[in-house]
Amino acid sequence: MKTALVLGSGGMCGSYDAGVMTELGRTIGPRSFNAVFGASSGAIVGMYFAAGSVDAMERVWRKHVDGRKMVNVYNPFFFRNILDLESLVSLFKRPKTRLSVEALFKNGAVPVYYAVTRLPSGECEHYQVNSKDIFEAIRATAAIPLAHRRVKLHDSYYVDGGLSDPLPVRAARKAGFERVVVVLNDLESGLVGKKWNQLRRLFPHPLMHLVETYADRRHQLVKEIEHDKDVFIIRPSSCLPLINHLDTDKKRINECVDMGIKDAQNYLPKLKAFLAEGMFGDR
């Protein structure tokens, strides 16, 4: 039976995913899975994990996304997006934070699939990452409406994949992966904070209904899998310290990474047993 790893959306809550996958990357490695499915920040974490670049990934989250480095409401005054994915992508090409594209596409590498939300319909589409447009894919899957302009990909326009598919478990199942390992980054607060809610009222977006229903749809997806014997769930051992999904406080982000690493260590024995039961087929 084939097993997929699923990493959902969550903005800065992806720091928890990064902690979990850093630990799993150092212990069991990406080839413990037959594929990776991700949305938004989860897709980015999944690419780093599949490429074996977990040290670089940890460095990105610990040192390069806090404060105004990636989210800055003053960016539009300098003709930049509030969510500066262009700067983030540039990090993926630097030596100490490099995403190993070569490793991601070498023979036998674990395939990675990412979710995007198509405009103007709001429908979700899933694509396998390829070397030709990997950096456009990263921008498209994480382009939160209002915070980042739409991204052109495959001759169409897209925004954040987490809006239409917060947790791509169904996509993994539809693709033929019977068993699924899911990393959750639950946060009780809404998708964004009060200031963001004020901004969206000033500048309405046609897909704002997806933002408003995000939490309910994500919770419904979690309810569907919580008692499924073919799903293994890794989730925070306590409430994440982040205030909302766009919280860029360095201390709180690092606490999330630390929690992810520690939780992964605690889950590891049971996870290994679950994976052993799967009796993986060929990719």
PDB file of all heavy atoms in Angstrom, residues 74-105:
ATOM      1  N   TYR A  74       3.697  47.994   4.536  1.00  0.00           N
ATOM      2  CA  TYR A  74       4.196  49.188   3.853  1.00  0.00           C
ATOM      3  C   TYR A  74       4.810  48.863   2.493  1.00  0.00           C
ATOM      4  O   TYR A  74       5.168  49.770   1.743  1.00  0.00           O
ATOM      5  CB  TYR A  74       5.236  49.894   4.734  1.00  0.00           C
ATOM      6  CG  TYR A  74       4.680  50.364   6.056  1.00  0.00           C
ATOM      7  CD1 TYR A  74       5.013  49.712   7.239  1.00  0.00           C
ATOM      8  CD2 TYR A  74       3.800  51.446   6.116  1.00  0.00           C
ATOM      9  CE1 TYR A  74       4.484  50.128   8.463  1.00  0.00           C
ATOM     10  CE2 TYR A  74       3.274  51.876   7.323  1.00  0.00           C
ATOM     11  CZ  TYR A  74       3.618  51.210   8.493  1.00  0.00           C
ATOM     12  OH  TYR A  74       3.091  51.626   9.688  1.00  0.00           O
ATOM     13  N   ASN A  75       4.927  47.606   2.159  1.00  0.00           N
ATOM     14  CA  ASN A  75       5.540  47.217   0.885  1.00  0.00           C
ATOM     15  C   ASN A  75       4.885  47.843  -0.349  1.00  0.00           C
ATOM     16  O   ASN A  75       5.585  48.203  -1.300  1.00  0.00           O
ATOM     17  CB  ASN A  75       5.540  45.693   0.742  1.00  0.00           C
ATOM     18  CG  ASN A  75       6.722  45.061   1.450  1.00  0.00           C
ATOM     19  OD1 ASN A  75       7.657  45.739   1.881  1.00  0.00           O
ATOM     20  ND2 ASN A  75       6.689  43.743   1.579  1.00  0.00           N
ATOM     21  N   PRO A  76       3.550  47.972  -0.393  1.00  0.00           N
ATOM     22  CA  PRO A  76       2.924  48.558  -1.586  1.00  0.00           C
ATOM     23  C   PRO A  76       3.426  49.954  -1.927  1.00  0.00           C
ATOM     24  O   PRO A  76       3.394  50.356  -3.098  1.00  0.00           O
ATOM     25  CB  PRO A  76       1.430  48.565  -1.229  1.00  0.00           C
ATOM     26  CG  PRO A  76       1.282  47.417  -0.284  1.00  0.00           C
ATOM     27  CD  PRO A  76       2.534  47.437   0.542  1.00  0.00           C
ATOM     28  N   PHE A  77       3.902  50.694  -0.915  1.00  0.00           N
ATOM     29  CA  PHE A  77       4.442  52.026  -1.183  1.00  0.00           C
ATOM     30  C   PHE A  77       5.737  51.948  -1.995  1.00  0.00           C
ATOM     31  O   PHE A  77       6.181  52.938  -2.580  1.00  0.00           O
ATOM     32  CB  PHE A  77       4.699  52.774   0.132  1.00  0.00           C
ATOM     33  CG  PHE A  77       3.450  53.128   0.883  1.00  0.00           C
ATOM     34  CD1 PHE A  77       3.084  52.436   2.020  1.00  0.00           C
ATOM     35  CD2 PHE A  77       2.611  54.146   0.426  1.00  0.00           C
ATOM     36  CE1 PHE A  77       1.927  52.754   2.713  1.00  0.00           C
ATOM     37  CE2 PHE A  77       1.445  54.473   1.110  1.00  0.00           C
ATOM     38  CZ  PHE A  77       1.102  53.771   2.251  1.00  0.00           C
ATOM     39  N   PHE A  78       6.333  50.759  -1.997  1.00  0.00           N
ATOM     40  CA  PHE A  78       7.579  50.546  -2.747  1.00  0.00           C
ATOM     41  C   PHE A  78       7.345  49.567  -3.908  1.00  0.00           C
ATOM     42  O   PHE A  78       8.270  48.930  -4.387  1.00  0.00           O
ATOM     43  CB  PHE A  78       8.658  50.016  -1.808  1.00  0.00           C
ATOM     44  CG  PHE A  78       8.924  50.914  -0.632  1.00  0.00           C
ATOM     45  CD1 PHE A  78       8.313  50.667   0.592  1.00  0.00           C
ATOM     46  CD2 PHE A  78       9.742  52.017  -0.761  1.00  0.00           C
ATOM     47  CE1 PHE A  78       8.533  51.508   1.681  1.00  0.00           C
ATOM     48  CE2 PHE A  78       9.977  52.864   0.319  1.00  0.00           C
ATOM     49  CZ  PHE A  78       9.367  52.616   1.546  1.00  0.00           C
ATOM     50  N   PHE A  79       6.052  49.460  -4.301  1.00  0.00           N
ATOM     51  CA  PHE A  79       5.651  48.630  -5.440  1.00  0.00           C
ATOM     52  C   PHE A  79       6.005  47.147  -5.225  1.00  0.00           C
ATOM     53  O   PHE A  79       6.416  46.451  -6.153  1.00  0.00           O
ATOM     54  CB  PHE A  79       6.291  49.152  -6.737  1.00  0.00           C
ATOM     55  CG  PHE A  79       5.997  50.595  -6.997  1.00  0.00           C
ATOM     56  CD1 PHE A  79       6.955  51.566  -6.712  1.00  0.00           C
ATOM     57  CD2 PHE A  79       4.756  50.999  -7.484  1.00  0.00           C
ATOM     58  CE1 PHE A  79       6.680  52.913  -6.925  1.00  0.00           C
ATOM     59  CE2 PHE A  79       4.475  52.342  -7.708  1.00  0.00           C
ATOM     60  CZ  PHE A  79       5.437  53.300  -7.431  1.00  0.00           C
ATOM     61  N   ARG A  80       5.819  46.703  -4.001  1.00  0.00           N
ATOM     62  CA  ARG A  80       6.034  45.304  -3.669  1.00  0.00           C
ATOM     63  C   ARG A  80       4.783  44.759  -3.001  1.00  0.00           C
ATOM     64  O   ARG A  80       3.959  45.515  -2.479  1.00  0.00           O
ATOM     65  CB  ARG A  80       7.245  45.140  -2.737  1.00  0.00           C
ATOM     66  CG  ARG A  80       8.548  45.614  -3.361  1.00  0.00           C
ATOM     67  CD  ARG A  80       9.642  45.810  -2.332  1.00  0.00           C
ATOM     68  NE  ARG A  80      10.068  44.559  -1.718  1.00  0.00           N
ATOM     69  CZ  ARG A  80      11.026  44.494  -0.790  1.00  0.00           C
ATOM     70  NH1 ARG A  80      11.618  45.604  -0.366  1.00  0.00           N
ATOM     71  NH2 ARG A  80      11.384  43.338  -0.290  1.00  0.00           N
ATOM     72  N   ASN A  81       4.641  43.437  -2.993  1.00  0.00           N
ATOM     73  CA  ASN A  81       3.496  42.808  -2.351  1.00  0.00           C
ATOM     74  C   ASN A  81       3.652  42.842  -0.827  1.00  0.00           C
ATOM     75  O   ASN A  81       4.769  42.766  -0.295  1.00  0.00           O
ATOM     76  CB  ASN A  81       3.371  41.352  -2.793  1.00  0.00           C
ATOM     77  CG  ASN A  81       3.043  41.221  -4.266  1.00  0.00           C
ATOM     78  OD1 ASN A  81       1.973  41.603  -4.712  1.00  0.00           O
ATOM     79  ND2 ASN A  81       3.985  40.677  -5.033  1.00  0.00           N
ATOM     80  N   ILE A  82       2.527  42.929  -0.122  1.00  0.00           N
ATOM     81  CA  ILE A  82       2.565  42.863   1.343  1.00  0.00           C
ATOM     82  C   ILE A  82       3.228  41.569   1.787  1.00  0.00           C
ATOM     83  O   ILE A  82       4.081  41.562   2.675  1.00  0.00           O
ATOM     84  CB  ILE A  82       1.138  42.972   1.923  1.00  0.00           C
ATOM     85  CG1 ILE A  82       0.565  44.359   1.653  1.00  0.00           C
ATOM     86  CG2 ILE A  82       1.139  42.682   3.425  1.00  0.00           C
ATOM     87  CD1 ILE A  82      -0.883  44.518   2.062  1.00  0.00           C
ATOM     88  N   LEU A  83       2.829  40.480   1.159  1.00  0.00           N
ATOM     89  CA  LEU A  83       3.474  39.189   1.388  1.00  0.00           C
ATOM     90  C   LEU A  83       4.568  39.047   0.333  1.00  0.00           C
ATOM     91  O   LEU A  83       4.282  38.805  -0.840  1.00  0.00           O
ATOM     92  CB  LEU A  83       2.452  38.053   1.269  1.00  0.00           C
ATOM     93  CG  LEU A  83       2.980  36.626   1.408  1.00  0.00           C
ATOM     94  CD1 LEU A  83       3.608  36.409   2.784  1.00  0.00           C
ATOM     95  CD2 LEU A  83       1.851  35.618   1.181  1.00  0.00           C
ATOM     96  N   ASP A  84       5.803  39.195   0.748  1.00  0.00           N
ATOM     97  CA  ASP A  84       6.912  39.298  -0.199  1.00  0.00           C
ATOM     98  C   ASP A  84       7.451  37.909  -0.566  1.00  0.00           C
ATOM     99  O   ASP A  84       8.532  37.507  -0.118  1.00  0.00           O
ATOM    100  CB  ASP A  84       8.020  40.169   0.394  1.00  0.00           C
ATOM    101  CG  ASP A  84       9.041  40.603  -0.649  1.00  0.00           C
ATOM    102  OD1 ASP A  84       8.925  40.158  -1.806  1.00  0.00           O
ATOM    103  OD2 ASP A  84       9.948  41.375  -0.297  1.00  0.00           O
ATOM    104  N   LEU A  85       6.706  37.210  -1.383  1.00  0.00           N
ATOM    105  CA  LEU A  85       7.124  35.873  -1.805  1.00  0.00           C
ATOM    106  C   LEU A  85       8.330  35.918  -2.739  1.00  0.00           C
ATOM    107  O   LEU A  85       9.067  34.937  -2.856  1.00  0.00           O
ATOM    108  CB  LEU A  85       5.956  35.158  -2.496  1.00  0.00           C
ATOM    109  CG  LEU A  85       4.747  34.866  -1.609  1.00  0.00           C
ATOM    110  CD1 LEU A  85       3.628  34.233  -2.433  1.00  0.00           C
ATOM    111  CD2 LEU A  85       5.132  33.943  -0.447  1.00  0.00           C
ATOM    112  N   GLU A  86       8.525  37.039  -3.400  1.00  0.00           N
ATOM    113  CA  GLU A  86       9.681  37.174  -4.280  1.00  0.00           C
ATOM    114  C   GLU A  86      10.981  37.114  -3.471  1.00  0.00           C
ATOM    115  O   GLU A  86      11.951  36.452  -3.873  1.00  0.00           O
ATOM    116  CB  GLU A  86       9.594  38.482  -5.071  1.00  0.00           C
ATOM    117  CG  GLU A  86       8.514  38.469  -6.150  1.00  0.00           C
ATOM    118  CD  GLU A  86       7.091  38.425  -5.594  1.00  0.00           C
ATOM    119  OE1 GLU A  86       6.844  39.018  -4.521  1.00  0.00           O
ATOM    120  OE2 GLU A  86       6.233  37.795  -6.231  1.00  0.00           O
ATOM    121  N   SER A  87      10.997  37.787  -2.324  1.00  0.00           N
ATOM    122  CA  SER A  87      12.175  37.719  -1.452  1.00  0.00           C
ATOM    123  C   SER A  87      12.345  36.322  -0.876  1.00  0.00           C
ATOM    124  O   SER A  87      13.467  35.833  -0.713  1.00  0.00           O
ATOM    125  CB  SER A  87      12.052  38.743  -0.312  1.00  0.00           C
ATOM    126  OG  SER A  87      12.095  40.059  -0.815  1.00  0.00           O
ATOM    127  N   LEU A  88      11.207  35.678  -0.575  1.00  0.00           N
ATOM    128  CA  LEU A  88      11.270  34.317  -0.053  1.00  0.00           C
ATOM    129  C   LEU A  88      11.886  33.369  -1.081  1.00  0.00           C
ATOM    130  O   LEU A  88      12.761  32.563  -0.759  1.00  0.00           O
ATOM    131  CB  LEU A  88       9.873  33.840   0.325  1.00  0.00           C
ATOM    132  CG  LEU A  88       9.791  32.445   0.979  1.00  0.00           C
ATOM    133  CD1 LEU A  88      10.477  32.447   2.336  1.00  0.00           C
ATOM    134  CD2 LEU A  88       8.336  32.007   1.125  1.00  0.00           C
ATOM    135  N   VAL A  89      11.447  33.491  -2.318  1.00  0.00           N
ATOM    136  CA  VAL A  89      11.988  32.646  -3.380  1.00  0.00           C
ATOM    137  C   VAL A  89      13.481  32.885  -3.557  1.00  0.00           C
ATOM    138  O   VAL A  89      14.253  31.946  -3.807  1.00  0.00           O
ATOM    139  CB  VAL A  89      11.224  32.882  -4.701  1.00  0.00           C
ATOM    140  CG1 VAL A  89      11.984  32.280  -5.885  1.00  0.00           C
ATOM    141  CG2 VAL A  89       9.823  32.276  -4.621  1.00  0.00           C
ATOM    142  N   SER A  90      13.908  34.139  -3.409  1.00  0.00           N
ATOM    143  CA  SER A  90      15.340  34.428  -3.550  1.00  0.00           C
ATOM    144  C   SER A  90      16.149  33.714  -2.468  1.00  0.00           C
ATOM    145  O   SER A  90      17.300  33.322  -2.699  1.00  0.00           O
ATOM    146  CB  SER A  90      15.586  35.940  -3.501  1.00  0.00           C
ATOM    147  OG  SER A  90      15.387  36.451  -2.198  1.00  0.00           O
ATOM    148  N   LEU A  91      15.555  33.539  -1.289  1.00  0.00           N
ATOM    149  CA  LEU A  91      16.226  32.793  -0.224  1.00  0.00           C
ATOM    150  C   LEU A  91      16.494  31.350  -0.638  1.00  0.00           C
ATOM    151  O   LEU A  91      17.518  30.765  -0.271  1.00  0.00           O
ATOM    152  CB  LEU A  91      15.365  32.777   1.041  1.00  0.00           C
ATOM    153  CG  LEU A  91      15.334  34.016   1.928  1.00  0.00           C
ATOM    154  CD1 LEU A  91      14.313  33.830   3.034  1.00  0.00           C
ATOM    155  CD2 LEU A  91      16.719  34.294   2.513  1.00  0.00           C
ATOM    156  N   PHE A  92      15.567  30.800  -1.398  1.00  0.00           N
ATOM    157  CA  PHE A  92      15.692  29.392  -1.787  1.00  0.00           C
ATOM    158  C   PHE A  92      16.847  29.151  -2.744  1.00  0.00           C
ATOM    159  O   PHE A  92      17.184  28.004  -3.036  1.00  0.00           O
ATOM    160  CB  PHE A  92      14.390  28.918  -2.433  1.00  0.00           C
ATOM    161  CG  PHE A  92      13.186  29.016  -1.535  1.00  0.00           C
ATOM    162  CD1 PHE A  92      11.907  28.970  -2.058  1.00  0.00           C
ATOM    163  CD2 PHE A  92      13.333  29.176  -0.166  1.00  0.00           C
ATOM    164  CE1 PHE A  92      10.794  29.060  -1.230  1.00  0.00           C
ATOM    165  CE2 PHE A  92      12.228  29.273   0.668  1.00  0.00           C
ATOM    166  CZ  PHE A  92      10.961  29.215   0.133  1.00  0.00           C
ATOM    167  N   LYS A  93      17.465  30.240  -3.215  1.00  0.00           N
ATOM    168  CA  LYS A  93      18.578  30.117  -4.154  1.00  0.00           C
ATOM    169  C   LYS A  93      19.918  30.472  -3.514  1.00  0.00           C
ATOM    170  O   LYS A  93      20.955  30.381  -4.157  1.00  0.00           O
ATOM    171  CB  LYS A  93      18.322  31.024  -5.367  1.00  0.00           C
ATOM    172  CG  LYS A  93      17.014  30.716  -6.095  1.00  0.00           C
ATOM    173  CD  LYS A  93      16.746  31.709  -7.216  1.00  0.00           C
ATOM    174  CE  LYS A  93      15.400  31.455  -7.883  1.00  0.00           C
ATOM    175  NZ  LYS A  93      15.111  32.423  -8.967  1.00  0.00           N
ATOM    176  N   ARG A  94      19.896  30.892  -2.251  1.00  0.00           N
ATOM    177  CA  ARG A  94      21.124  31.266  -1.559  1.00  0.00           C
ATOM    178  C   ARG A  94      21.765  30.035  -0.914  1.00  0.00           C
ATOM    179  O   ARG A  94      21.058  29.093  -0.525  1.00  0.00           O
ATOM    180  CB  ARG A  94      20.840  32.320  -0.488  1.00  0.00           C
ATOM    181  CG  ARG A  94      20.293  33.628  -1.047  1.00  0.00           C
ATOM    182  CD  ARG A  94      19.984  34.601   0.070  1.00  0.00           C
ATOM    183  NE  ARG A  94      19.291  35.785  -0.425  1.00  0.00           N
ATOM    184  CZ  ARG A  94      18.798  36.730   0.353  1.00  0.00           C
ATOM    185  NH1 ARG A  94      18.921  36.631   1.674  1.00  0.00           N
ATOM    186  NH2 ARG A  94      18.181  37.774  -0.170  1.00  0.00           N
ATOM    187  N   PRO A  95      23.084  30.032  -0.753  1.00  0.00           N
ATOM    188  CA  PRO A  95      23.786  28.838  -0.253  1.00  0.00           C
ATOM    189  C   PRO A  95      23.267  28.278   1.071  1.00  0.00           C
ATOM    190  O   PRO A  95      23.037  27.067   1.187  1.00  0.00           O
ATOM    191  CB  PRO A  95      25.238  29.332  -0.121  1.00  0.00           C
ATOM    192  CG  PRO A  95      25.359  30.411  -1.139  1.00  0.00           C
ATOM    193  CD  PRO A  95      24.029  31.107  -1.141  1.00  0.00           C
ATOM    194  N   LYS A  96      23.041  29.122   2.075  1.00  0.00           N
ATOM    195  CA  LYS A  96      22.676  28.619   3.397  1.00  0.00           C
ATOM    196  C   LYS A  96      21.196  28.284   3.540  1.00  0.00           C
ATOM    197  O   LYS A  96      20.800  27.612   4.498  1.00  0.00           O
ATOM    198  CB  LYS A  96      23.070  29.637   4.468  1.00  0.00           C
ATOM    199  CG  LYS A  96      24.572  29.790   4.627  1.00  0.00           C
ATOM    200  CD  LYS A  96      24.906  30.723   5.782  1.00  0.00           C
ATOM    201  CE  LYS A  96      26.407  30.845   5.989  1.00  0.00           C
ATOM    202  NZ  LYS A  96      26.747  31.746   7.124  1.00  0.00           N
ATOM    203  N   THR A  97      20.383  28.765   2.619  1.00  0.00           N
ATOM    204  CA  THR A  97      18.935  28.503   2.702  1.00  0.00           C
ATOM    205  C   THR A  97      18.429  27.866   1.406  1.00  0.00           C
ATOM    206  O   THR A  97      17.248  27.918   1.106  1.00  0.00           O
ATOM    207  CB  THR A  97      18.174  29.822   2.960  1.00  0.00           C
ATOM    208  OG1 THR A  97      18.583  30.815   2.014  1.00  0.00           O
ATOM    209  CG2 THR A  97      18.436  30.316   4.377  1.00  0.00           C
ATOM    210  N   ARG A  98      19.311  27.243   0.684  1.00  0.00           N
ATOM    211  CA  ARG A  98      19.011  26.752  -0.659  1.00  0.00           C
ATOM    212  C   ARG A  98      18.101  25.523  -0.657  1.00  0.00           C
ATOM    213  O   ARG A  98      18.301  24.584   0.097  1.00  0.00           O
ATOM    214  CB  ARG A  98      20.315  26.415  -1.389  1.00  0.00           C
ATOM    215  CG  ARG A  98      20.128  26.015  -2.845  1.00  0.00           C
ATOM    216  CD  ARG A  98      21.469  25.900  -3.533  1.00  0.00           C
ATOM    217  NE  ARG A  98      21.313  25.486  -4.914  1.00  0.00           N
ATOM    218  CZ  ARG A  98      21.304  24.222  -5.308  1.00  0.00           C
ATOM    219  NH1 ARG A  98      21.463  23.258  -4.415  1.00  0.00           N
ATOM    220  NH2 ARG A  98      21.143  23.916  -6.570  1.00  0.00           N
ATOM    221  N   LEU A  99      17.110  25.581  -1.523  1.00  0.00           N
ATOM    222  CA  LEU A  99      16.276  24.416  -1.813  1.00  0.00           C
ATOM    223  C   LEU A  99      16.976  23.643  -2.927  1.00  0.00           C
ATOM    224  O   LEU A  99      17.153  24.168  -4.029  1.00  0.00           O
ATOM    225  CB  LEU A  99      14.887  24.853  -2.264  1.00  0.00           C
ATOM    226  CG  LEU A  99      13.960  23.778  -2.840  1.00  0.00           C
ATOM    227  CD1 LEU A  99      13.662  22.705  -1.795  1.00  0.00           C
ATOM    228  CD2 LEU A  99      12.661  24.403  -3.353  1.00  0.00           C
ATOM    229  N   SER A 100      17.363  22.409  -2.653  1.00  0.00           N
ATOM    230  CA  SER A 100      18.123  21.629  -3.630  1.00  0.00           C
ATOM    231  C   SER A 100      17.199  21.130  -4.738  1.00  0.00           C
ATOM    232  O   SER A 100      16.596  20.060  -4.633  1.00  0.00           O
ATOM    233  CB  SER A 100      18.822  20.441  -2.959  1.00  0.00           C
ATOM    234  OG  SER A 100      19.520  19.676  -3.910  1.00  0.00           O
ATOM    235  N   VAL A 101      17.087  21.916  -5.778  1.00  0.00           N
ATOM    236  CA  VAL A 101      16.227  21.559  -6.904  1.00  0.00           C
ATOM    237  C   VAL A 101      16.728  20.289  -7.581  1.00  0.00           C
ATOM    238  O   VAL A 101      15.936  19.442  -8.008  1.00  0.00           O
ATOM    239  CB  VAL A 101      16.156  22.721  -7.917  1.00  0.00           C
ATOM    240  CG1 VAL A 101      15.321  22.328  -9.132  1.00  0.00           C
ATOM    241  CG2 VAL A 101      15.561  23.959  -7.255  1.00  0.00           C
ATOM    242  N   GLU A 102      18.032  20.122  -7.649  1.00  0.00           N
ATOM    243  CA  GLU A 102      18.595  18.926  -8.271  1.00  0.00           C
ATOM    244  C   GLU A 102      18.146  17.665  -7.544  1.00  0.00           C
ATOM    245  O   GLU A 102      17.761  16.669  -8.163  1.00  0.00           O
ATOM    246  CB  GLU A 102      20.129  18.995  -8.277  1.00  0.00           C
ATOM    247  CG  GLU A 102      20.705  20.142  -9.089  1.00  0.00           C
ATOM    248  CD  GLU A 102      20.741  21.451  -8.316  1.00  0.00           C
ATOM    249  OE1 GLU A 102      20.339  21.457  -7.137  1.00  0.00           O
ATOM    250  OE2 GLU A 102      21.147  22.469  -8.903  1.00  0.00           O
ATOM    251  N   ALA A 103      18.193  17.691  -6.217  1.00  0.00           N
ATOM    252  CA  ALA A 103      17.783  16.527  -5.428  1.00  0.00           C
ATOM    253  C   ALA A 103      16.290  16.265  -5.551  1.00  0.00           C
ATOM    254  O   ALA A 103      15.842  15.115  -5.534  1.00  0.00           O
ATOM    255  CB  ALA A 103      18.151  16.741  -3.959  1.00  0.00           C
ATOM    256  N   LEU A 104      15.529  17.345  -5.704  1.00  0.00           N
ATOM    257  CA  LEU A 104      14.073  17.215  -5.790  1.00  0.00           C
ATOM    258  C   LEU A 104      13.645  16.494  -7.060  1.00  0.00           C
ATOM    259  O   LEU A 104      12.582  15.856  -7.092  1.00  0.00           O
ATOM    260  CB  LEU A 104      13.441  18.606  -5.721  1.00  0.00           C
ATOM    261  CG  LEU A 104      11.933  18.704  -5.483  1.00  0.00           C
ATOM    262  CD1 LEU A 104      11.532  18.017  -4.192  1.00  0.00           C
ATOM    263  CD2 LEU A 104      11.512  20.167  -5.451  1.00  0.00           C
ATOM    264  N   PHE A 105      14.471  16.573  -8.108  1.00  0.00           N
ATOM    265  CA  PHE A 105      14.077  15.988  -9.388  1.00  0.00           C
ATOM    266  C   PHE A 105      15.016  14.882  -9.875  1.00  0.00           C
ATOM    267  O   PHE A 105      14.945  14.481 -11.031  1.00  0.00           O
ATOM    268  CB  PHE A 105      13.962  17.092 -10.447  1.00  0.00           C
ATOM    269  CG  PHE A 105      12.937  18.130 -10.105  1.00  0.00           C
ATOM    270  CD1 PHE A 105      13.316  19.419  -9.774  1.00  0.00           C
ATOM    271  CD2 PHE A 105      11.588  17.805 -10.076  1.00  0.00           C
ATOM    272  CE1 PHE A 105      12.371  20.371  -9.436  1.00  0.00           C
ATOM    273  CE2 PHE A 105      10.639  18.748  -9.747  1.00  0.00           C
ATOM    274  CZ  PHE A 105      11.024  20.037  -9.420  1.00  0.00           C
TER     275      PHE A 105
END
